[in-house]
Amino acid sequence: PKADPPSAVERNQDLWSWQEAAAPKDAGPVPSVAVAPGGKTVAAVQGGKVVLRDIATRKVLWTFAGDKLAAVAFNPDGRWVGVARPGGATVLDAGTGQVVQEIEQDDANPTAVAFGFPGEPVEGRLRHRLSFTDGRAVWATTWVDDFAPGMAQF
């Protein structure tokens, strides 16, 4: 007889136990996790760095070290990873972990970061949106593919 697929609870427990087993004992808490669109990779803030892993193999694909990193998010097409950090946000290339853009906001100590869906094209290029918050204010930046961000605070 064919076995029943695992329930959602069992799948969640498997992912959680994988995270615990994969984390070094001194890595500290994991305050933020984001699964890439398509579900093949997961990014986590862990032990002062962002760690990107292949979900199927559990292999670390890249790490990005920083100071007091707080949160991660993938953009809608999975090309970038946004990272909330003191003083703003950093956008990383999801394939390599390399810094694509630093978005500075001196008075910010964000604890959350999120990408919006691309807006209407500007001269044939996509417009992207990234927001971050520290619980007191929300900052939003919009840019066209060349990363010339314009910051607005709400």
Side-chain angles (χ1 to χ4, degrees):
K2 187 174 180 181
D4 292 330
S7 69
V9 171
E10 290 169 325
R11 284 192 304 267
N12 286 341
Q13 288 172 342
D14 287 345
L15 183 59
W16 182 254
S17 65
W18 165 72
Q19 288 288 0
E20 287 178 342
K25 299 269 187 244
D26 61 350
V30 180
S32 180
V33 175
V35 176
K40 294 184 179 181
T41 58
V42 61
V45 174
Q46 179 181 347
K49 57 190 167 196
V50 174
V51 179
L52 186 82
R53 292 183 183 271
D54 180 289
I55 290 175
T57 66
R58 302 178 184 169
K59 179 182 174 187
V60 173
L61 302 176
W62 54 256
T63 61
F64 171 78
D67 183 38
K68 299 180 183 175
L69 304 178
V72 292
F74 282 92
N75 79 313
D77 70 7
R79 185 168 55 164
W80 298 317
V81 176
V83 182
R85 57 165 176 76
T90 300
V91 178
L92 304 173
D93 181 296
T96 65
Q98 297 298 310
V99 174
V100 176
Q101 178 69 25
E102 298 279 0
I103 301 168
E104 303 297 336
Q105 186 66 39
D106 290 337
D107 56 345
N109 192 19
T111 56
V113 63
F115 281 93
F117 284 95
E120 293 295 317
V122 175
E123 297 179 2
R125 299 182 310 174
L126 287 179
R127 185 177 359 182
H128 305 280
R129 296 186 178 108
L130 177 77
S131 301
F132 49 96
T133 183
D134 63 4
R136 297 173 293 134
V138 175
W139 293 271
T141 185
T142 301
W143 70 91
V144 178
D145 279 343
D146 61 357
F147 276 94
M151 186 70 69
Q153 182 178 352
F154 300 102

